Amino acid sequence: MSSDMVQLWCYLSTSPLLWLTVTLLAYQLGTWCFQRCGCSQLLNPVLTAVLVLVVLLKLSATDYQTYFRGAQFIHFLLGPATVALAIPLYREVAVIRKTFVPIIVALFAGSLAAILSAVGIAWLLGGERILLLTLSPKSVTTPIAMGISEQIGGLPALTAVAVVLTGITGVVIGDLVLNWIKVHDETARGMAFGIASHGIGTAHAMHKSRVTGAFSALAMALNGLLTALLLPLLISLLR
């Protein structure tokens, strides 16, 4: 019986559908825990799913390449999901036109703050140049951040980790910080989540309200574009 189970596991562990299914179940478990605990952001579904997957991969001695053969199907859906964010943006186009100037000001301020804070903290802690370059696009959505990191000489894989950690951290403490500094305007909160926490923050903002979600989606998209243009320019000026 034991031998049969081992053979079954050897077969399943090489099947892409196994880790696709495990990823979806891990997120469902995270969502269940999140809802059962009063929607506490300390139990954010993404954070819970990541921790569960890390433990399972470690216990099963499964390498990342094997895991990603299944997870790549979810990764592929990031593209259509990002495009679909145009729908809430279209619904709020009148509000966006009225607040165009504040949006641009907030975008530049937020993008620069995200870059300089990451680089500055890493530099003060003694980080090497390659680490500074790797962390600089940490507030941009993963596909863009990895492309920027590769272009400027960073480590794309480590950048992806920093992006996920940034998004989760922003969602966990974002509401607390915004409430503490008394920012209650839906458009401002949406911009904050989109710039600081990219896709994970936008998913969180969508649960808050339609307006907050729309502005978070707008901020995420514009921040990705601005950082892709701004960061290589800053790097070249500092050389």
Side-chain angles (χ1 to χ4, degrees):
M1 183 67 177
S2 173
S3 176
D4 291 339
M5 292 298 294
V6 170
Q7 291 179 4
L8 177 61
W9 170 251
C10 290
Y11 169 74
L12 290 175
S13 64
T14 58
S15 172
L17 292 179
L18 170 68
W19 291 108
L20 172 62
T21 303
V22 170
T23 301
L24 295 175
L25 290 176
Y27 185 77
Q28 284 299 110
L29 174 63
T31 302
W32 180 81
C33 293
F34 177 69
Q35 293 173 344
R36 290 282 293 181
C37 296
C39 298
S40 170
Q41 289 306 320
L42 294 175
L43 287 174
N44 181 268
V46 176
L47 175 59
T48 303
V50 168
L51 293 176
V52 170
L53 288 170
V54 168
V55 171
L56 290 177
L57 291 173
K58 191 70 175 177
L59 291 177
S60 63
T62 302
D63 58 71
Y64 179 75
Q65 287 72 23
T66 300
Y67 165 76
F68 190 71
R69 281 200 290 270
Q72 65 179 330
F73 300 108
I74 298 176
H75 186 267
F76 169 78
L77 292 174
L78 285 175
T82 302
V83 174
L85 292 174
I87 296 175
L89 285 178
Y90 176 77
R91 291 171 177 168
E92 303 299 328
V93 66
V95 180
I96 293 172
R97 286 175 179 169
K98 293 178 182 178
T99 56
F100 179 75
V101 174
I103 286 173
I104 297 301
V105 173
L107 177 65
F108 272 91
S111 295
L112 286 173
I115 295 170
L116 296 177
S117 62
V119 174
I121 293 172
W123 178 74
L124 289 173
L125 293 175
E128 298 181 359
R129 177 180 172 82
I130 191 170
L131 180 61
L132 305 185
L133 296 174
T134 298
L135 294 177
S136 57
K138 53 87 181 172
S139 288
V140 181
T141 188
T142 306
I144 300 176
M146 293 179 70
I148 295 173
S149 179
E150 184 176 10
Q151 181 185 358
I152 63 178
L155 302 173
L158 185 56
T159 298
V161 175
V163 169
V164 173
L165 290 176
T166 299
I168 293 174
T169 303
V171 167
V172 169
I173 68 172
D175 285 317
L176 293 175
V177 172
L178 291 171
N179 290 338
W180 181 57
I181 61 176
K182 297 182 175 11
V183 175
H184 302 296
D185 182 75
E186 290 182 325
T187 60
R189 294 176 76 96
M191 290 293 296
F193 279 116
I195 293 174
S197 304
H198 45 80
I200 299 176
T202 299
H204 173 71
M206 289 288 184
H207 288 288
K208 295 295 181 180
S209 74
R210 192 176 75 179
V211 174
T212 305
F215 275 83
S216 183
L218 176 65
M220 180 185 71
L222 293 179
N223 186 44
L225 176 61
L226 181 61
T227 304
L229 296 173
L230 191 60
L231 193 53
L233 178 60
L234 290 175
I235 297 298
S236 64
L237 291 175
L238 294 175
R239 285 176 180 171

